[in-house]
Amino acid sequence: MHPERPQAPLRLDFDDDALIANWKALDRLSGAARAGAAVKANAYGTGARHAVPLLLEAGCRDFFVAHWGEVADAVPAVDPGMVSVLHGPLTQADAAFAKACGVKPVINSLAQARRWLAAGGGRCDLMVDTGMNRLGVAMDELGDPALAQLDVDVLLSHLVASEEDTPLNEVQRSRWMEARGALTHRRASLANSAGIGLGEAYHGDLTRPGLGLYGGLPRAEMAPHLRQVVRPQVAVLQVRDLEAGQSVGYNATFTAPRAMRVGALALGYADGFLRCWSGKGMFRDGEGAALPVLGRVSMDLTVVDLGAAPHVREGDWLTLDYSLPEASEVSGLTQYELLTSLGRRFGR
Ligand SMILES: *Cc1c(COP(=O)(O)O)cnc(C)c1O
């Protein structure tokens, strides 16, 4: 018998209503197509076991994970037939696992198609490469007899640069249309979050937003429709008074220009608050006072200036400014990295 674990000194404040509202907004912006949800990488670091049932409640019926090991994050919360595994079957064991639990493999190559058929086949999705050159069946392979034998639910492709207005989008769209004409399938899908913003011609039957669900801003014009979902919150472990001339943290990169009151927070680069935040970024107390980061971020700790919040005590909680577009500007990390790097020590 272990005693109950005490509360972690850091947690991810998760706004359920914002996630649901974001899915509904992206579904609406998808027009006649339905929105699915990319829930790979633990729902972009936000916690798939929490997010998946909320997305189901919102109306989502198509869930995309990357790894076979991520299936358990979605099933049994949702029907296995609603789950697609983007990496596809690399081995016989992967194909057997898909057959046994009823999730759909995304077939990415002729070898995967043959492997799936050898395992008994059944409903699957098919990824066609229209320019990413990462995963997917090549355009000149579409006539292969193995593909004609597949029972394809969603024929999908993935955009290279949908957050930009580049001619590549139209090139990929026309290849995707060509693939739709070449292979039997039930539904077609091309757009990720940013792709939804490219308009109706990109929507097909199903869209696959990820970033936008979790509060990322894929294209500036989508800002009015999407809300922040997660906010890292952290406890103050210790408060101390510095004299002018004393330094803070590893390598003494910050020196107090005057007497200062500072706090050590239970958050560091091991939690995904990477060292690029050193001397940057802002925490807030309950009243919204700005508490800037001082010196280097260490593995488990970050020090902030408590000058604007004289009432803050040890054990109080602070919230990190983590509006993703702005946090991306400040840190130099992408919105995707800001989400998926959030570590395992957060209470979720
Ligand atoms: C991750 C992923 C998505 C979601 O992309 P976002 O840019 O996060 O909306 C969609 N489709 C595929 C194939 C993906 O790998």
Side-chain angles (χ1 to χ4, degrees):
M1 265 292 283
H2 289 286
E4 199 180 323
R5 192 164 54 142
Q7 193 191 22
L10 74 174
R11 64 187 177 216
L12 211 53
D13 178 60
F14 191 105
D15 185 339
D16 294 1
D17 294 339
L19 178 73
I20 290 170
N22 288 346
W23 184 83
K24 288 186 171 166
L26 290 160
D27 186 56
R28 203 167 52 242
L29 292 169
S30 299
R34 248 193 118 79
V39 297
K40 60 194 180 180
N42 196 25
Y44 287 41
T46 70
R49 281 172 196 254
H50 185 74
V52 166
L54 292 170
L55 291 163
L56 182 75
E57 180 193 324
C60 183
R61 297 293 178 267
D62 295 272
F63 298 85
F64 293 86
V65 297
H67 284 241
W68 295 96
E70 292 172 343
V71 167
D73 292 342
V75 176
V78 303
D79 185 284
M82 296 179 181
V83 178
S84 300
V85 181
L86 289 164
H87 284 185
L90 176 66
T91 63
Q92 271 304 329
D94 293 341
F97 177 82
K99 288 294 283 180
C101 67
V103 299
K104 290 184 293 178
V106 176
I107 302 300
N108 289 291
S109 65
L110 298 182
Q112 287 195 354
R114 291 185 198 112
R115 193 172 292 128
W116 180 237
L117 292 167
R123 190 170 284 206
C124 62
D125 294 341
L126 180 70
M127 171 68 82
V128 177
D129 178 48
T130 55
M132 185 69 102
N133 283 306
R134 210 173 54 167
L135 294 180
V137 173
M139 291 299 292
D140 63 8
E141 294 172 332
L142 295 181
D144 193 283
L147 301 184
Q149 290 176 60
L150 294 175
D151 177 6
V152 179
D153 180 9
V154 184
L155 184 150
L156 56 151
S157 192
H158 193 49
L159 295 164
V160 171
S162 49
E163 72 285 0
E164 295 171 32
D165 293 313
T166 153
L168 267 175
N169 291 326
E170 179 50 28
V171 168
Q172 288 196 272
R173 195 192 69 82
S174 68
R175 289 183 185 148
W176 170 70
M177 290 301 289
E178 189 186 329
R180 290 170 70 175
L183 287 165
T184 307
H185 58 281
R186 280 181 202 81
R187 300 182 287 166
S189 176
L190 179 62
N192 61 343
S193 302
I196 291 170
L198 295 178
E200 200 183 339
Y202 289 78
H203 293 163
D205 304 301
L206 176 70
T207 59
R208 308 186 307 272
L211 184 71
L213 294 174
Y214 311 108
L217 184 58
R219 293 176 64 93
E221 72 270 18
M222 292 165 98
H225 303 284
L226 300 172
R227 282 156 56 186
Q228 188 171 352
V229 173
V230 290
R231 290 170 179 81
Q233 298 184 325
V234 56
V236 179
L237 295 180
Q238 197 169 346
V239 172
R240 65 203 308 123
D241 291 302
L242 300 184
E243 291 168 19
Q246 288 186 309
S247 68
V248 170
Y250 283 119
N251 308 101
T253 59
F254 176 82
T255 301
R258 60 195 134 76
M260 294 177 80
R261 190 161 167 275
V262 304
L265 314 182
L267 175 74
Y269 58 77
D271 305 301
F273 192 59
L274 302 182
R275 290 202 346 157
C276 54
W277 287 102
S278 298
K280 294 178 192 167
M282 208 63 86
F283 289 80
R284 308 271 172 183
D285 70 351
E287 270 102 74
L291 312 173
V293 172
L294 301 177
R296 289 260 158 94
V297 171
S298 21
M299 187 184 293
D300 318 298
L301 294 165
T302 296
V303 174
V304 294
D305 179 359
L306 292 177
H311 54 273
V312 166
R313 299 276 174 273
E314 289 170 9
D316 286 353
W317 287 74
L318 303 178
T319 301
L320 175 62
D321 275 359
Y322 219 63
S323 167
L324 294 168
E326 283 108 71
S328 173
E329 286 277 311
V330 174
S331 66
L333 299 170
T334 67
Q335 298 180 62
Y336 296 88
E337 290 169 305
L338 288 167
L339 286 169
T340 57
S341 57
L342 292 168
R344 301 191 312 171
R345 297 192 293 196
F346 282 93
R348 284 185 168 85

